[in-house]
Amino acid sequence: MTTILDGKKLREKILSDLKTKIEGFNKKPSLAVILVGNNPASQIYVYNKKKTAEKIGINSNVINYPATVTEDELLEKIHELNRDENVDAILVQLPLPEHISKEKVINMISPQKDVDGFTPYNFGKLFSGEKPFVYPCTPKGILLLLDEYNIELEGKHVVIVGRSNIVGKPLFQMMLNRNATVTICHSHTKNLSDITKTADVLVSAVGENIIEEKMLKPGCIVVDVGIFKDAAGRTRGDVDFENVSKIASYISPVPGGVGPMTITSLMLNTVELFEISNKRLK
Ligand code: NAP
């Protein structure tokens, strides 16, 4: 019997608890989101973040810029938000236009307002085994989902396919923190299936439908992070869900698995940063 790792259900539970917690605050937590240009996917992501934040009592302010905005203008805005005591958390929606350095922009965010956990300070803390202000949203959401189903990670072989800064790399360290044995694969990995077949837990974050049943060990746990539209316009994940779900013990669907958990983590992180800044100001 395969169990579905239901991200939607867990999202509702966590957000409902978070809403109650926020109602007990004397002030609303506040999230500032910078959106540059009119990439349709980014616009949908930002809209969903704003809608979710407002539903649970977080103030969210979306600052829109045209794709022609200069790097200096963006850096100046972030500097202003860093100093604004009414802003607890700052998110810059990626990707940015090519003329703007993503690194420079992220580096400008104050680590104490870095809701994605992407600044070198928070990333460095994570990789040195210390606690960052907050953990990156997608890996955090994956761990929340696995924890909800009481999936023990200690001693397990976790294979992560994809080594991006937003998913694979931070998840690698967060799995190590749980005493898993972790292997990370990428586009230059040779004989990918030989490695994925040894996984007790397989996490795929590629953006292509590459994980098939024959690449996996029966009974393994499968977490599908990938999300993209196929030629027919349908939302797909990296995993051949229909066949893999016949052999996996647990599997996360797309949509409805990791996606809802990423946005949930963003809300949790906003509240954590709010609590940190409130303590600092007291
Ligand atoms: P990314 O930066 O494009 O990274 C993709 C990774 O996949 C890279 O490390 C790449 O290797 C690797 N890769 C590509 N082809 C491969 C292959 N044939 N075999 C093995 N590895 C391969 O992507 P990302 O930002 O991490 O996102 C990955 C996917 O997850 C996308 O579909 C994205 O939309 C989705 N995503 C979903 C959520 C969510 O909340 N559900 C959050 C974040 C991302 P190289 O490093 O060698 O190029």
Side-chain angles (χ1 to χ4, degrees):
M1 254 285 281
T2 305
T3 303
I4 303 293
L5 298 167
D6 189 340
K8 272 196 203 162
K9 196 166 137 200
L10 182 56
R11 173 186 63 191
E12 295 319 311
K13 183 172 144 193
I14 294 176
L15 291 184
S16 157
D17 291 349
L18 205 52
K19 184 169 184 280
T20 308
K21 182 174 188 176
I22 292 168
E23 281 163 3
F25 293 157
N26 55 4
K27 188 179 155 206
K28 281 187 168 188
S30 157
L31 168 69
V33 180
I34 295 182
L35 174 61
V36 180
N38 45 18
N39 176 324
S42 293
Q43 284 174 330
I44 293 171
Y45 291 142
V46 167
Y47 172 77
N48 287 336
K49 287 167 186 175
K50 186 175 170 60
K51 207 175 72 178
T52 308
E54 283 169 359
K55 216 167 87 181
I56 61 165
I58 291 174
N59 272 335
S60 83
N61 176 22
V62 178
I63 304 150
N64 286 284
Y65 284 102
T68 50
V69 66
T70 65
E71 190 176 275
D72 282 348
E73 275 176 90
L74 267 193
L75 294 176
E76 184 48 47
K77 184 57 168 180
I78 294 171
H79 186 51
E80 186 191 312
L81 296 170
N82 283 341
R83 283 175 302 172
D84 186 341
E85 284 187 2
N86 291 315
V87 172
D88 302 297
I90 303 170
L91 181 150
V92 177
Q93 185 64 45
L94 300 175
L96 292 171
E98 274 179 15
H99 67 278
I100 296 171
S101 156
K102 178 179 84 180
E103 287 74 23
K104 267 196 197 167
V105 167
I106 289 174
N107 292 359
M108 180 56 106
I109 301 171
S110 159
Q112 295 180 15
K113 296 193 178 189
D114 168 26
V115 74
D116 273 324
F118 290 164
T119 57
Y121 178 91
N122 283 320
F123 230 58
K125 282 272 184 189
L126 173 64
F127 279 90
S128 66
E130 290 179 59
K131 197 179 172 310
F133 284 108
V134 290
Y135 291 91
C137 296
T138 302
K140 175 174 174 148
I142 292 170
L143 289 180
L144 285 169
L145 193 56
L146 296 175
D147 288 346
E148 175 67 11
Y149 289 83
N150 298 313
I151 293 170
E152 181 56 65
L153 294 164
E154 185 165 322
K156 295 264 170 71
H157 185 205
V158 176
V159 175
I160 302 168
V161 189
R163 57 172 166 179
S164 71
N165 283 350
I166 64 169
V167 189
K169 278 188 211 151
L171 183 62
F172 175 85
Q173 181 60 44
M174 289 161 77
M175 287 289 186
L176 281 184
N177 291 351
R178 297 291 189 96
N179 293 324
T181 302
V182 196
T183 303
I184 192 156
C185 305
H186 45 78
S187 68
H188 300 265
T189 298
K190 304 253 190 294
N191 307 321
L192 181 65
S193 339
D194 288 350
I195 301 169
T196 54
K197 265 185 201 148
T198 66
D200 300 311
V201 180
L202 184 281
V203 181
S204 186
V206 171
E208 285 171 40
N209 198 240
I210 62 162
I211 306 294
E212 301 170 37
E213 178 194 349
K214 62 175 192 255
M215 298 168 72
L216 300 168
K217 175 167 85 175
C220 69
I221 295 156
V222 179
V223 178
D224 192 350
V225 184
I227 183 159
F228 59 93
K229 297 269 186 212
D230 69 11
R234 285 172 306 201
T235 300
R236 300 288 303 271
D238 290 358
V239 177
D240 172 4
F241 184 87
E242 195 188 330
N243 291 310
V244 170
S245 58
K246 290 179 190 152
I247 61 146
S249 55
Y250 294 85
I251 185 167
S252 73
V254 176
V258 175
M261 294 312 301
T262 297
I263 206 155
T264 301
S265 300
L266 177 68
M267 300 302 128
L268 287 167
N269 282 357
T270 302
V271 171
E272 284 173 32
L273 293 178
F274 167 82
E275 290 178 310
I276 292 169
S277 81
N278 264 27
K279 263 188 214 136
R280 206 178 56 236
L281 294 174
K282 264 185 194 156

